[in-house]
Amino acid sequence: MKPMDIAIIGMAGRFPGIENAEELMDVFSGGKDCVAPVDTDRLLKTNVPTDKEYIEMAILKDIDLFDYKYFNYPKAEANKMAPQHRLALEVVHHAIDNSAYPLAHFDGSKTSVYCGNSRIRYDEHWEGELDPTGIMGASQPFLSGRISRIFNLRGNSAMIDTTCSSS
């Protein structure tokens, strides 16, 4: 079998304490620690007690600011979607922006999507009855297919779970 050339033409990521992928190298080379105390504003956006002490964590900012209208999702479905799914859609969009190609360039292309992720348990946080529209947004196997569908990518689409190295 003839070797296949692979080109990485765009890159993006979401990292605790870092605004973009370009700053990631500064973290590695400068020894920056992205672990910090949980700020009160973050706690106020959740249902956890604000008067308790929490261990320091590496926390992603603005995970609650998903633009469901841009990605053409009903608000109710977006609210049931696991943060990993919402973040993945945003990161893919940023990677395409970073590639310097217009989004339309990839529309219908034979671009493949491979995602590594361990089990998502977002549905365990729902209150009340299980909502059928939320099942896809709370399940790991649907993530790569969701990305392919939203961006109309026609190559292979697969989830790869290698336990710890996929998390």
Side-chain angles (χ1 to χ4, degrees):
M1 184 170 174
K2 183 177 148 185
M4 182 185 291
D5 292 331
I6 297 175
I8 298 172
I9 58 169
M11 185 171 73
R14 294 282 302 267
F15 310 98
I18 304 168
E19 294 299 319
N20 54 52
E22 290 78 19
E23 291 181 16
L24 188 59
M25 187 54 76
D26 294 336
V27 169
F28 291 143
S29 62
K32 178 181 176 184
D33 188 353
C34 296
V35 175
V38 181
D39 69 16
T40 306
D41 289 339
R42 177 68 178 246
L43 293 174
L44 290 171
K45 291 181 179 181
T46 69
N47 59 356
V48 299
T50 57
D51 58 346
K52 287 180 64 178
E53 281 195 41
Y54 296 92
I55 62 169
E56 292 187 349
M57 300 180 209
I59 297 177
L60 293 175
K61 289 174 34 179
D62 302 330
I63 64 168
D64 57 330
L65 300 180
F66 180 67
D67 188 353
Y68 66 92
K69 290 179 183 175
Y70 179 83
F71 290 101
N72 202 24
Y73 279 101
K75 185 175 184 176
E77 186 175 350
N79 286 342
K80 296 282 186 174
M81 193 184 302
Q84 296 92 324
H85 284 230
R86 296 189 301 254
L87 291 170
L89 290 171
E90 292 171 346
V91 168
V92 168
H93 188 272
H94 292 146
I96 291 171
D97 282 348
N98 182 261
S99 75
Y101 283 92
L103 190 57
H105 175 80
F106 295 95
D107 187 17
S109 70
K110 208 170 172 189
T111 302
S112 295
V113 176
Y114 298 97
C115 298
N117 200 354
S118 53
R119 187 172 185 279
I120 296 172
R121 293 184 172 101
Y122 194 64
D123 57 327
E124 293 175 5
H125 301 289
W126 294 350
E127 292 181 13
E129 258 184 67
L130 186 63
D131 180 354
T133 63
I135 292 172
M136 290 191 323
S139 300
Q140 173 215 11
F142 293 105
L143 180 58
S144 60
R146 176 186 301 276
I147 292 168
S148 294
R149 183 180 59 82
I150 289 295
F151 293 99
N152 194 26
L153 306 174
R154 302 297 181 173
N156 297 325
S157 181
M159 291 299 299
I160 301 166
D161 186 351
T162 59
T163 59
C164 293
S165 61
S166 295
S167 62

